[in-house]
Amino acid sequence: MASANGGVPLERKRAIVSALCKSRSLDATKFLDDAGNDIKSLSVNIMKTAYENNEEFNKRVAFAEKFPSDSEACLKSLSQLNEYLTDYSVLVGGGSRPSDADIIVFSTVHQYVANLPNTDRNKLPNLLRWVDYIQSTHDFGELFERIVLEKAPFDPPLAKQTAKVNAESSTKKGESSTKKAAPNGKAANSGADSEKKTDSKQASGKPEAATEKKKSVSLLKIQVGLIRKASKHPSADSLLVEEIDVGEGKCRQVVSGLAKFCSTEELTNRLVALITNVKPGKLRDVVSGLVLCASNADHTVVEPLIVPEGAKFGEIITFAGHEGKPEDVLNPKKKQLDKITPNLFTDDKGVATFKGVPFMTSAGPCTSTIPNAGIK
């Protein structure tokens, strides 16, 4: 095989050029003539061209360059960014890993977002989720002060909507009482009855926001757990018994149906995502909990979610934009888990999410080797 400049073989360089160009959707033939150069120079040229040709990247750079200083125009720009982030976790790439463009825009807007009053923050839930994700996945040291996101900004919309329904209900009842006193007796009462029925429907009909709250992942208390010991269940071949430490001083004893998919050796000393506020119950004579696992469509491949190295057992897994106090104990009669788990899935990169919002730990997001998988 021929070598270039007595170093890396020419064919290997051509392979590197072709692979880099393919990953960046570039025409490799434009760079193959330069394959005699060193790998560093080749790579820099390819990456430079990739950035120059990346429309989305350049769009975000232009956003940073033109970002206004006037407060009104600033809020308008942030609102546009918030709208875009309704359907995306990051600004460029369509996946879940922040790009260089995300870092550029984050650095641009950080100061303005940090100084926004809560009234304006309430209008930008998607932007705040993104900001929290960037500052949770990147350690900027003292460069940027961490923006603390309070729980309160996400609650008022629900309170306002409920208050509006109650106010409308009270108004209707007052009108109904007035109509009852009308001199034309029967007709007036008939009208009042009709008003009462409408009124009752409005009062009993729960706002959409309240319904969504019942499906919110914030109801779950999901903690990082460390499996201290895993063993086969004494009376069920398909079950394993795990002793899981979540920092309570005593391990939780959990049963899972992982015997067909994981060995006890693979699970021992492994970090897992554990729902710790499920109602205690008995499963094959052992108190059961719930280890969250990803699985493919036909459930032939199942694995516990991968918690990133560096996460601390016992810490709470969070979801940006879905802050709230978890239930002390989930009520099985309300079927809360059944309502929430359909919205738990891995994205096309294998990142575990609730409606596209990553499972976040202090060390980064939880993941799986199974992309586009359901999580239960």
Side-chain angles (χ1 to χ4, degrees):
M1 182 179 290
S3 297
N5 300 328
V8 180
L10 183 60
E11 289 306 313
R12 189 186 303 169
K13 286 188 178 181
R14 289 181 179 274
I16 292 171
V17 168
S18 298
L20 269 178
C21 288
K22 186 172 183 180
S23 71
R24 298 287 173 169
S25 300
L26 297 175
D27 182 2
T29 58
K30 295 180 179 180
F31 301 92
L32 289 175
D33 290 340
D34 299 326
N37 295 334
D38 61 275
I39 293 177
K40 180 180 178 180
S41 298
L42 282 168
S43 301
V44 169
N45 288 337
I46 291 171
M47 299 303 288
K48 180 182 178 182
T49 303
Y51 278 130
E52 290 174 347
N53 293 348
N54 189 318
E55 185 177 341
E56 280 299 312
F57 175 82
N58 291 321
K59 180 180 178 181
R60 299 307 166 191
V61 170
F63 173 91
E65 289 177 337
K66 297 177 182 178
F67 192 74
S69 55
D70 172 72
S71 58
E72 186 175 342
C74 168
L75 185 58
K76 183 178 179 181
S77 294
L78 293 179
S79 297
Q80 293 171 347
L81 203 58
N82 178 75
E83 184 177 353
Y84 175 83
L85 288 165
T86 300
D87 299 317
Y88 297 95
S89 297
V90 293
L91 295 177
V92 175
S96 60
R97 180 176 297 178
S99 66
D100 291 337
D102 286 270
I103 304 304
I104 291 171
V105 175
F106 175 85
S107 304
T108 301
V109 306
H110 177 274
Q111 178 186 349
Y112 300 91
V113 175
N115 294 324
L116 281 176
N118 281 343
T119 51
D120 288 334
R121 286 191 179 190
N122 291 347
K123 303 171 186 176
L124 307 169
N126 303 311
L127 176 67
L128 294 183
R129 165 182 55 75
W130 171 79
V131 164
D132 193 50
Y133 184 36
I134 300 300
Q135 65 184 11
S136 296
T137 54
H138 289 73
D139 183 7
F140 295 107
E142 298 180 358
L143 187 59
F144 297 116
E145 183 179 351
R146 185 177 181 86
I147 298 175
V148 179
L149 302 180
E150 301 176 0
K151 297 177 183 178
F154 299 96
D155 295 331
L158 174 59
K160 288 179 182 177
Q161 191 170 359
T162 304
K164 183 180 178 182
V165 171
N166 290 338
E168 289 177 351
S169 176
S170 298
T171 302
K172 290 290 185 180
K173 285 181 179 177
E175 291 174 355
S176 176
S177 298
T178 303
K179 289 186 179 181
K180 271 189 176 181
N184 58 341
K186 190 173 181 179
N189 287 335
S190 175
D193 289 342
S194 175
E195 291 283 355
K196 275 187 175 181
K197 288 178 182 178
T198 303
D199 205 25
S200 175
K201 287 180 181 178
Q202 288 182 346
S204 62
K206 296 174 181 175
E208 184 179 344
T211 302
E212 284 302 309
K213 190 173 182 179
K214 291 184 177 181
K215 301 178 183 178
S216 174
V217 73
S218 64
L219 297 176
L220 305 182
K221 186 175 183 181
I222 307 177
Q223 293 178 263
V224 174
L226 174 64
I227 299 179
R228 296 288 187 182
K229 179 183 177 182
S231 58
K232 293 183 178 180
H233 194 285
S235 59
D237 293 339
S238 64
L239 302 178
L240 294 178
V241 181
E242 296 111 25
E243 301 286 339
I244 304 181
D245 190 349
V246 290
E248 298 172 325
K250 181 181 179 181
C251 288
R252 289 174 174 250
Q253 200 171 45
V254 175
V255 169
S256 60
L258 289 170
K260 295 179 181 178
F261 308 101
C262 303
S263 68
T264 55
E265 291 77 12
E266 289 172 327
L267 292 177
T268 302
N269 294 322
R270 175 172 179 158
L271 292 175
V272 292
L274 182 72
I275 299 180
T276 56
N277 63 338
V278 292
K279 184 176 181 179
K282 290 283 186 177
L283 180 59
R284 294 277 184 169
D285 301 321
V286 181
V287 178
S288 179
L290 187 59
V291 175
L292 286 172
C293 298
S295 64
N296 62 353
D298 58 4
H299 301 287
T300 55
V301 181
V302 179
E303 68 174 16
L305 292 181
I306 301 169
V307 177
E309 185 178 351
K312 300 176 178 63
F313 62 89
E315 71 172 91
I316 303 293
I317 292 174
T318 60
F319 300 83
H322 296 278
E323 291 77 6
K325 184 180 182 299
E327 296 279 273
D328 292 331
V329 179
L330 296 175
N331 187 343
K333 292 182 180 180
K334 294 182 179 180
K335 298 186 176 180
Q336 291 161 304
L337 270 179
D338 293 340
K339 295 173 182 177
I340 296 170
T341 51
N343 295 311
L344 302 179
F345 53 86
T346 62
D347 63 16
D348 57 355
K349 303 294 184 182
V351 175
T353 75
F354 169 75
K355 293 185 176 180
V357 179
F359 283 56
M360 285 302 302
T361 72
S362 59
C366 296
T367 59
S368 171
T369 61
I370 313 170
N372 303 312
I375 298 174
K376 286 187 178 180

